[in-house]
Coordinates of all heavy atoms in Angstrom, one line a residue:
L17 N 9.4 8.4 5.6 CA 8.5 7.4 6.3 C 9.2 6.1 6.6 O 10.1 5.7 5.8 CB 7.3 7.1 5.3 CG 6.5 8.3 4.9 CD1 5.5 7.8 3.8 CD2 5.8 9.0 6.0
K18 N 9.0 5.6 7.8 CA 9.6 4.4 8.3 C 8.6 3.3 8.5 O 7.5 3.5 9.0 CB 10.3 4.6 9.6 CG 11.5 5.6 9.5 CD 12.3 5.6 10.8 CE 13.5 6.5 10.6 NZ 14.4 6.5 11.8
L19 N 9.0 2.1 8.0 CA 8.1 0.9 8.0 C 7.8 0.4 9.5 O 8.7 0.3 10.3 CB 8.7 -0.2 7.2 CG 7.9 -1.5 7.1 CD1 6.6 -1.3 6.3 CD2 8.8 -2.5 6.4
R20 N 6.6 0.1 9.7 CA 6.2 -0.7 10.9 C 5.9 -2.1 10.4 O 4.9 -2.4 9.7 CB 4.9 -0.2 11.5 CG 5.0 1.1 12.3 CD 3.7 1.4 13.0 NE 3.8 2.6 13.8 CZ 2.8 3.1 14.4 NH1 1.6 2.6 14.2 NH2 2.9 4.2 15.1
P21 N 6.9 -3.0 10.7 CA 6.8 -4.4 10.1 C 5.5 -5.1 10.5 O 5.0 -5.0 11.6 CB 8.0 -5.1 10.7 CG 8.9 -4.0 11.1 CD 8.0 -2.9 11.5
Q22 N 4.9 -5.8 9.6 CA 3.7 -6.7 9.8 C 3.6 -7.6 8.6 O 4.1 -7.4 7.5 CB 2.5 -5.8 10.0 CG 2.1 -4.9 8.9 CD 1.3 -3.7 9.3 OE1 1.8 -2.7 9.7 NE2 0.0 -4.0 9.3
E23 N 2.9 -8.7 8.8 CA 2.7 -9.7 7.8 C 1.3 -9.5 7.1 O 0.4 -9.1 7.7 CB 2.7 -11.1 8.4 CG 4.1 -11.4 9.0 CD 5.2 -11.5 7.9 OE1 4.9 -12.1 6.8 OE2 6.3 -11.0 8.2
P24 N 1.3 -9.9 5.8 CA 0.0 -9.8 5.1 C -1.0 -10.8 5.7 O -0.7 -11.8 6.4 CB 0.3 -10.3 3.7 CG 1.8 -10.2 3.5 CD 2.4 -10.3 4.9
V25 N -2.3 -10.5 5.6 CA -3.4 -11.3 6.1 C -3.4 -12.6 5.2 O -3.5 -13.7 5.7 CB -4.8 -10.6 6.0 CG1 -5.9 -11.5 6.4 CG2 -4.7 -9.4 7.0
H26 N -3.4 -12.4 3.9 CA -3.4 -13.5 2.9 C -2.3 -13.2 1.9 O -2.1 -12.1 1.5 CB -4.7 -13.6 2.2 CG -5.9 -13.9 3.0 ND1 -6.0 -15.1 3.7 CD2 -7.0 -13.2 3.4 CE1 -7.1 -15.1 4.4 NE2 -7.7 -13.9 4.2
G27 N -1.6 -14.3 1.5 CA -0.5 -14.1 0.5 C 0.8 -13.8 1.1 O 0.9 -13.9 2.4
K28 N 1.8 -13.5 0.3 CA 3.1 -13.2 0.8 C 3.7 -12.2 -0.1 O 3.4 -12.1 -1.3 CB 4.0 -14.4 1.0 CG 4.3 -15.1 -0.3 CD 5.2 -16.3 -0.1 CE 5.5 -16.9 -1.4 NZ 6.4 -18.0 -1.3
F29 N 4.7 -11.4 0.4 CA 5.4 -10.5 -0.5 C 6.5 -11.2 -1.3 O 7.2 -12.0 -0.7 CB 6.1 -9.4 0.4 CG 5.1 -8.4 0.9 CD1 4.9 -8.3 2.3 CD2 4.5 -7.5 0.1 CE1 4.0 -7.4 2.8 CE2 3.6 -6.5 0.6 CZ 3.3 -6.5 1.9
T30 N 6.5 -11.0 -2.6 CA 7.5 -11.5 -3.4 C 8.6 -10.5 -3.5 O 9.8 -10.9 -3.7 CB 7.0 -11.9 -4.8 OG1 6.4 -10.7 -5.4 CG2 6.0 -13.0 -4.7
S31 N 8.3 -9.2 -3.3 CA 9.3 -8.2 -3.1 C 8.7 -7.2 -2.1 O 7.6 -6.7 -2.3 CB 9.7 -7.5 -4.4 OG 8.9 -6.4 -4.7
G32 N 9.2 -7.2 -0.9 CA 8.6 -6.5 0.2 C 8.8 -5.0 0.3 O 9.7 -4.4 -0.5
P33 N 8.0 -4.3 1.1 CA 8.2 -2.9 1.2 C 9.5 -2.5 1.9 O 9.9 -3.3 2.8 CB 7.0 -2.4 2.1 CG 6.5 -3.7 2.7 CD 6.9 -4.8 1.9
P34 N 10.2 -1.4 1.6 CA 11.4 -1.1 2.2 C 11.3 -0.5 3.6 O 10.2 -0.1 4.0 CB 12.0 0.0 1.2 CG 10.8 0.6 0.7 CD 9.8 -0.5 0.6
A35 N 12.4 -0.5 4.3 CA 12.4 0.0 5.7 C 12.1 1.5 5.8 O 11.4 2.0 6.7 CB 13.7 -0.3 6.4

Side-chain angles (χ1 to χ4, degrees):
L17 301 176
K18 292 190 177 183
L19 180 66
R20 285 188 179 171
Q22 58 203 93
E23 294 297 316
V25 175
H26 299 293
K28 65 179 182 176
F29 286 110
T30 54
S31 88

